């Protein structure tokens, strides 16, 4: 690859980048890992701590239920904390945090371990045991990391619900996971306002009946309802003198569940993706180390939210596994001014920034002068995730933020993959808008309807052909859905749900989802969630939601609604419906526009043809409509 001339617009790495990089020769690594991927992953696993070594690297005897590091015993929380506390990293900063209101906090590896242990003991005293589910609902504050690590330490399975979700989404996820404990913050600061998380949780708890204990982290301090016997203050419990800073940990089987994370799929309710202690740990650790080239002195910032997979893998687990110093910021990028992010990069001397195209496009709108008033010379690498990045935003990011010296790691992956799958490493030549090639050891392909590879530059379905350690193990409580959704279209190949094009250099260009998932500002939402929120409103008979292109958000939600007999359309009702979705699902799901219609394009079997709605909205040809009911 290195000597071959690449087609199109290509950005080559500087000598400085090459000199510094952990992985200097991608082709060599790719060949090595490609020839024996199990050996490659086994060697990576050996860099981490195991109480007992595995008998076998990978077991595919009951595929698609793959197992990794069979019979190995480990604990990811131990690897994130205790492993470093025993070394020179004990007093190294694990976390630098800044609140939207200017509060700040730093935690060393030792202090993070101590708090995690104390909280682990609190959870144990409430009766939380290995395998129990704990729901976590908070903003971007250090306690969310502590809560996740404490669960992992004692073997509980965490289920984090993004703080931007609302009543029904939270209730549904608590109920489905059967959580006995909920950890929530009183509120979160967002764009100068308070999101009343505890109040939303109270409403959700009225709709589901599994939770026995609610632990409330004080962040905003506004008055909240504390239900006697059920609700307790995290801050009071964790500081009780009887709570020890030693907390014995569970030796977890490599395949024991670490967490479930709900995500939207093709049909129906969000499903819980299950990840495990062993393989997930090895996969996230390796990919962060190689792709963001983590160096001992780095300060790394992943600006996602811990409530989504990007935050799970690359704010919480991988940075701690690599012993990095991570930065986390609570609030909005443009609060109080559009220079907030740039001022923090300067203030803390951050070296790596990993964010989503929507954030870049949003900040780009304010113009470069906001960026240019800050010294961003500490930046070494940039990253992008969540949706395809348009070349215009890529170039702005590269030129204005990265001053043409920071390679952009455009990482394609999913909640299900757990780790980066298509991504460059710093020395790989880049093409704006492409995530380049699969990570070493990963085999992917682009196939047609029948599973046959398509020609270069033709659009097809993206599939994964080799197992990888951080892969989804199953859909929680629904093995059938796991098989059906990912492994049934093409036996032996994992179906990603994305369409893609691969060029003559082997570079992948993601086009987008081919199912009923809509990516709004990089957030993954299902049409079914939005539609079911709409029909839960008393005026609505039927609803359909689609995503239409949006300059900043990538996609925006458009909803079409048939009213119940006797209800009449009005601008007030339209606004009420938008608010209703925001209240039930969350502000991120609020439709850009709701249109009241008389009928919807249904197939003869009653399925809404969203494709037809989309084509009509865009003024395009709807294609084959032979199954459309008259
Ligand atoms: C999309 C987010 C283009 C894709 C980590 C995928 C991307 C879905 C990229 C998964 C990227 C993610 N370029 N598209 N770099 N990264 N996607 O589960 O459609 O929230 O299937 O995981 O996001 O979304 P999820």
């Amino acid at each position: 690859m290195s000597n071959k001339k690449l087609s199109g617009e290509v950005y080559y790495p500087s000598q400085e980048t090459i000199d510094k990089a952990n992985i200097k020769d991608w082709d060599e690594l790719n060949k090595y890992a490609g020839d024996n991927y199990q050996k490659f992953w086994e060697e990576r696993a050996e860099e981490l701590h195991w109480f007992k070594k595995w008998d076998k690297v990978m077991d595919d005897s009951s595929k698609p239920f793959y197992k990794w590091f069979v019979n190995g015993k480990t604990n990811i929380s131990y690897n994130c904390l205790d492993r470093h506390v025993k070394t020179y990293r004990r007093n190294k900063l694990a976390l630098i945090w800044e609140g939207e209101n200017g509060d700040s906090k730093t935690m060393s590896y030792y202090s993070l371990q101590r708090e995690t242990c104390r909280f682990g003991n609190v959870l144990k005293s409430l009766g939380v045991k290995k395998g129990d589910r704990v729901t976590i609902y908070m903003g971007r504050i250090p306690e969310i990391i502590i809560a996740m690590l404490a669960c992992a330490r004692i073997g509980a399975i965490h289920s984090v619900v993004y703080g931007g979700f609302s009543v029904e989404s939270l209730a549904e996820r608590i109920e489905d996971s059967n959580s006995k404990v909920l950890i929530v913050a009183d509120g979160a600061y967002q764009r100068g306002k308070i999101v009343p998380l505890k109040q939303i949780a109270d409403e959700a708890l009225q709709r589901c009946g599994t939770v026995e204990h609610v632990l409330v982290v004080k962040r905003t301090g506004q008055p909240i309802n504390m239900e006697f016997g059920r609700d307790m203050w995290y801050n009071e419990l964790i500081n009780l003198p009887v709570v020890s800073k030693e907390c014995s940990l569970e030796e977890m089987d490599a395949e024991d569940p670490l967490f479930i994370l709900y995500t939207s799929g093709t049909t129906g309710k969000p499903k819980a993706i299950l990840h495990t202690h062993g393989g997930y740990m090895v996969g996230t650790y390796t990919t962060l180390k190689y792709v963001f080239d983590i160096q001992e002195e780095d300060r790394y910032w992943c600006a996602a939210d811990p409530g989504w997979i990007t935050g799970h893998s690359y704010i919480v687990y991988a940075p701690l596994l690599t012993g990095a110093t991570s930065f986390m910021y609570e609030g909005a990028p443009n609060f109080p001014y559009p220079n907030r992010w740039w001022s923090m990069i300067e203030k803390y001397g951050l070296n790596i920034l990993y964010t989503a195209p929507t954030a870049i496009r949003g900040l780009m709108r304010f113009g470069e002068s906001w960026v240019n008033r800050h010294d961003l010379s500490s930046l070494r690498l940039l990253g992008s995730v969540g949706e395809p990045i348009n070349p215009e935003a890529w170039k702005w990011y590269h030129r204005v933020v990265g001053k043409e010296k920071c390679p952009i790691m455009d990482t394609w992956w999913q909640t299900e993959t757990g780790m980066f799958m298509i991504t460059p490493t710093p020395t790989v030549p880049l093409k704006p808008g492409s995530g380049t090639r699969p990570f070493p050891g990963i085999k992917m392909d682009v196939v047609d309807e029948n599973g046959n590879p398509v020609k270069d530059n033709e659009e097809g379905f993206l599939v994964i052909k080799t197992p990888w350690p951080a892969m989804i193990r199953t859909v929680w409580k629904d093995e059938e859905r796991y098989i059906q959704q990912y492994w049934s279209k093409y036996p032996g190949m994992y179906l990603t749900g994305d369409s893609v094009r691969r060029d003559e250099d082997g570079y992948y260009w993601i086009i987008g989802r081919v199912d009923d998932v809509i990516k709004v500002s990089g957030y993954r939402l299902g049409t079914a969630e939005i539609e079911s929120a709409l029909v839960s409103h008393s005026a609505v008979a039927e609803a359909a939601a689609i995503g239409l292109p949006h300059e900043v958000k990538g996609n925006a939600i458009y909803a079409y609604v048939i009213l119940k007999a006797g209800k009449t359309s009005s601008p007030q009702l339209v606004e009420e419906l938008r608010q209703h979705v925001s209240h039930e699902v969350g502000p991120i799901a609020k439709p850009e526009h709701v249109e009241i219609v008389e009928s919807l394009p249904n197939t003869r079997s009653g399925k809404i043809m969203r494709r037809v709605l989309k084509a009509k909205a865009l003024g395009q040809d709807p294609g084959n409509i032979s199954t459309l009911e008259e």
Side-chain angles (χ1 to χ4, degrees):
M1 174 66 62
S2 28
N3 299 327
K4 192 178 146 201
K5 173 116 178 60
L6 300 175
S7 67
E9 191 176 13
V10 185
Y11 289 65
Y12 291 91
S14 67
Q15 195 53 46
E16 202 185 333
T17 297
I18 297 171
D19 290 345
K20 186 127 200 196
N22 275 321
I23 305 298
K24 299 215 191 315
D25 192 337
W26 185 90
D27 295 280
E28 189 187 58
L29 181 75
N30 189 47
K31 172 147 191 354
Y32 179 74
D35 288 348
N36 189 345
Y37 71 93
Q38 294 193 28
K39 179 155 172 270
F40 170 71
W41 290 116
E42 174 163 45
E43 287 166 358
R44 306 288 75 72
E46 279 161 359
E47 296 170 22
L48 295 159
H49 175 273
W50 298 78
F51 299 108
K52 178 183 166 288
K53 205 179 160 170
W54 49 92
D55 302 329
K56 198 171 178 205
V57 180
M58 198 270 293
D59 175 10
D60 61 0
S61 58
S62 46
K63 59 185 176 203
F65 298 95
Y66 294 89
K67 292 195 181 78
W68 281 85
F69 308 110
V70 182
N71 293 328
K73 302 276 183 249
T74 187
N75 184 303
I76 196 170
S77 191
Y78 181 96
N79 272 290
C80 286
L81 301 169
D82 306 50
R83 191 167 55 96
H84 305 303
V85 168
K86 292 183 170 42
T87 70
Y88 62 94
R89 287 191 183 130
R90 179 183 175 87
N91 294 324
K92 178 176 175 176
L93 290 187
L95 181 69
I96 305 171
W97 172 80
E98 184 165 305
E100 193 185 74
N101 63 349
D103 290 351
S104 65
K105 184 171 178 168
T106 55
M107 295 187 88
S108 65
Y109 273 89
Y110 170 63
S111 61
L112 190 58
Q113 183 216 33
R114 196 186 54 216
E115 297 285 298
T116 299
C117 285
R118 296 183 78 99
F119 191 51
N121 286 323
V122 169
L123 290 174
K124 280 187 189 176
S125 73
L126 294 175
V128 178
K129 293 191 189 57
K130 181 176 173 184
D132 287 349
R133 275 79 58 210
V134 171
T135 297
I136 301 173
Y137 182 59
M138 280 188 233
R140 284 188 289 271
I141 53 176
E143 288 80 358
I144 192 168
I145 300 180
I146 295 168
M148 291 165 75
L149 292 167
C151 287
R153 186 170 187 95
I154 66 168
I157 303 170
H158 59 71
S159 167
V160 179
V161 179
Y162 170 56
F165 276 129
S166 198
V167 183
E168 184 55 27
S169 301
L170 177 60
E172 215 170 70
R173 287 158 171 78
I174 293 175
E175 180 107 333
D176 187 74
S177 63
N178 211 343
S179 294
K180 278 195 291 189
V181 173
L182 169 68
I183 310 166
V184 60
D186 55 352
Y189 288 109
Q190 186 63 27
R191 210 158 271 125
K193 296 204 186 82
I194 290 175
V195 183
L197 295 173
K198 174 64 166 62
Q199 196 186 317
I200 295 169
D202 286 338
E203 212 183 310
L205 289 176
Q206 286 170 7
R207 299 188 192 181
C208 60
T210 62
V211 170
E212 292 163 16
H213 304 288
V214 179
L215 297 170
V216 188
V217 176
K218 189 173 240 157
R219 167 64 188 127
T220 47
Q222 86 276 22
I224 55 164
N225 159 54
M226 291 291 281
E227 195 173 302
F228 183 74
R230 188 195 68 183
D231 303 354
M232 283 165 287
W233 287 103
Y234 166 98
N235 312 64
E236 282 173 14
L237 291 181
I238 199 170
N239 290 317
L240 286 175
V242 293
V243 175
S244 168
K245 74 171 181 55
E246 314 291 337
C247 172
S248 61
L249 53 77
E250 287 286 334
E251 293 191 5
M252 304 297 284
D253 189 273
E255 284 295 308
D256 275 335
L258 167 63
F259 66 82
I260 52 176
L261 182 59
Y262 287 83
T263 192
S264 305
T266 294
T267 49
K269 283 187 181 176
K271 52 188 188 282
I273 307 302
L274 182 101
H275 284 289
T276 58
H277 270 254
Y280 176 81
M281 170 172 84
V282 175
T284 54
Y285 160 78
T286 307
T287 45
L288 184 70
K289 184 173 158 189
Y290 287 10
V291 174
F292 283 107
D293 205 29
I294 298 296
Q295 318 258 344
E296 198 61 51
E297 67 281 13
D298 273 341
R299 288 187 163 185
Y300 155 89
W301 181 17
C302 168
D305 192 283
W308 297 85
I309 193 65
T310 308
H312 276 59
S313 298
Y314 298 107
I315 294 180
V316 182
Y317 290 111
L320 295 172
L321 289 167
T322 55
T325 297
S326 237
F327 174 70
M328 182 162 79
Y329 165 60
E330 179 185 36
N334 57 347
F335 188 86
Y337 303 108
N339 66 332
R340 182 63 184 265
W341 272 22
W342 321 124
S343 76
M344 293 187 303
I345 291 170
E346 174 177 316
K347 178 170 167 192
Y348 297 104
L350 306 179
N351 309 102
I352 300 165
L353 170 64
Y354 181 37
T355 185
T358 185
I360 299 158
R361 290 191 296 259
L363 290 164
M364 205 168 120
R365 271 190 321 176
F366 297 109
E368 23 191 297
S369 64
W370 289 103
V371 192
N372 292 339
R373 71 185 67 191
H374 294 282
D375 174 8
L376 303 186
S377 58
S378 59
L379 284 176
R380 184 165 67 80
L381 279 173
L382 301 173
S384 175
V385 62
E387 51 176 327
I389 181 166
N390 47 313
E392 192 199 348
W394 193 101
K395 287 179 196 170
W396 189 86
Y397 196 26
H398 188 256
R399 178 176 60 82
V400 180
V401 181
K403 313 295 178 209
E404 292 177 342
K405 69 175 177 68
C406 306
I408 299 176
M409 303 296 105
D410 181 356
T411 62
W412 178 95
W413 58 296
Q414 309 180 299
T415 308
E416 293 87 341
T417 68
M419 61 180 224
F420 307 149
M421 299 298 281
I422 300 176
T423 174
T425 57
T427 62
V428 168
L430 305 172
K431 301 188 189 188
S434 166
T436 74
R437 292 162 293 176
F439 189 78
I442 308 288
K443 275 206 185 67
M444 304 182 93
D445 212 342
V446 188
V447 299
D448 65 16
E449 200 49 50
N450 303 316
N452 301 317
V454 302
K455 292 201 200 84
D456 284 353
N457 289 310
E458 267 177 26
E459 185 175 343
F461 299 103
L462 180 65
V463 293
I464 309 174
K465 294 168 86 173
T466 37
W468 64 102
M471 66 196 296
I472 172 179
R473 293 305 192 271
T474 188
V475 173
W476 173 249
K477 295 193 307 192
D478 201 348
E479 296 192 336
E480 198 38 53
R481 195 164 170 189
Y482 168 66
I483 298 171
Q484 191 54 37
Q485 171 118 22
Y486 304 105
W487 303 97
S488 63
K489 189 169 166 99
Y490 312 115
M493 294 195 250
Y494 168 92
L495 183 73
T496 63
D498 278 18
S499 80
V500 69
R501 196 166 56 72
R502 187 176 48 204
D503 71 16
E504 54 277 21
D505 299 320
Y507 278 48
Y508 286 70
W509 300 78
I510 302 291
I511 295 161
R513 299 288 309 192
V514 282
D515 54 9
D516 294 329
V517 168
I518 310 177
K519 278 281 181 157
V520 183
S521 301
Y523 296 121
R524 179 165 163 182
L525 294 167
T527 53
E529 288 162 87
I530 301 151
E531 290 161 5
S532 97
L534 283 165
V535 295
S536 76
H537 188 279
S538 61
V540 176
E542 242 190 283
I546 56 168
L548 292 179
H550 184 279
E551 208 181 319
V552 176
K553 298 179 181 175
N555 292 289
I557 298 167
Y558 280 69
Y560 298 84
V561 158
I562 303 179
L563 296 181
K564 283 187 181 152
K567 304 281 177 187
T568 39
S569 162
S570 68
Q572 289 78 0
L573 179 62
V574 165
E575 190 45 37
E576 195 180 312
L577 292 176
R578 294 179 65 227
Q579 289 302 340
H580 181 70
V581 177
S582 175
H583 181 263
E584 292 295 304
V585 186
I588 44 165
K590 186 170 165 178
E592 198 78 4
H593 185 66
V594 174
E595 194 171 323
I596 313 270
V597 294
E598 294 294 319
S599 66
L600 287 168
N602 280 316
T603 60
R604 278 178 219 109
S605 55
K607 242 184 113 204
I608 295 171
M609 291 182 85
R610 296 188 189 80
R611 178 171 62 78
V612 174
L613 281 172
K614 198 166 171 169
K616 186 161 177 270
L618 295 172
Q620 293 168 350
D621 172 16
N624 181 0
I625 50 168
S626 57
T627 57
L628 192 69
E629 200 189 36
E630 272 322 302

